[in-house]
Amino acid sequence: MSVHTKTHPTNHEPTFKVVIEMPGKKKKLSFVSEKHLHKLEAFLKKYAESDPTPWEELAASRIAKYSKAGLALRGARYREGISQKELAKRTGISQENISKMENGQRSVGEKVAKKLAKALHIDFHLLCHV
């Protein structure tokens, strides 16, 4: 992440231009007011110093309840900003079955995983055990 001082064109309060870079994502540009910059710096310091924790460890109780594939499916759908109904239209898989997969009531086979993964722009291996 890089931070540059700049006055935002819509007001005359000093702001900081912040460029956010995440692996596998496009850079995002944002502006942070001077009064909120210390909060951002504290947040970054806290998480920059900690060891990365695998998401499976953070979500262990949810994985036990919903399944790893179900959480990955729900997360990918959320990231794409689409409903179960919209995903059903895009894949030809019923909304009911998508709901069951997300809630760990139905497993995700390879053929279905490939359809879902294509629509959600993810690797199908996240959704099934091949």
Side-chain angles (χ1 to χ4, degrees):
M1 181 180 88
S2 59
V3 178
H4 304 283
T5 307
K6 183 176 183 173
T7 302
H8 196 278
T10 59
N11 62 34
H12 300 292
E13 177 183 332
T15 60
F16 294 84
K17 179 174 128 181
V18 178
V19 179
I20 302 166
E21 296 179 57
M22 292 176 52
K25 302 279 184 181
K26 290 184 179 181
K27 292 180 184 178
K28 292 192 177 200
L29 173 66
S30 186
F31 291 91
V32 177
S33 69
E34 187 173 25
K35 65 183 178 182
H36 293 294
L37 184 63
H38 70 280
K39 291 179 183 176
L40 176 61
E41 288 173 336
F43 173 82
L44 293 172
K45 183 178 180 184
K46 177 181 177 184
Y47 290 101
E49 292 176 359
S50 64
D51 290 329
T53 304
W55 77 271
E56 294 92 342
E57 187 178 321
L58 295 172
S61 64
R62 293 183 145 268
I63 289 172
K65 183 175 181 180
Y66 299 110
S67 83
K68 187 174 175 180
L71 285 178
L73 175 56
R74 181 176 292 165
R77 186 175 56 75
Y78 178 80
R79 186 194 68 195
E80 291 295 314
I82 61 173
S83 65
Q84 289 178 350
K85 187 175 181 178
E86 177 60 28
L87 183 57
K89 286 180 189 175
R90 292 182 187 187
T91 61
I93 300 165
S94 75
Q95 182 271 326
E96 180 183 4
N97 277 333
I98 291 170
S99 176
K100 286 180 179 180
M101 287 181 263
E102 285 187 5
N103 289 297
Q105 298 168 349
R106 182 184 187 281
S107 63
V108 184
E110 184 177 350
K111 185 177 176 181
V112 170
K114 286 180 178 180
K115 281 185 183 182
L116 292 167
K118 184 176 180 181
L120 295 169
H121 308 103
I122 60 173
D123 183 340
F124 81 95
H125 290 97
L126 290 171
L127 303 175
C128 67
H129 301 287
V130 180

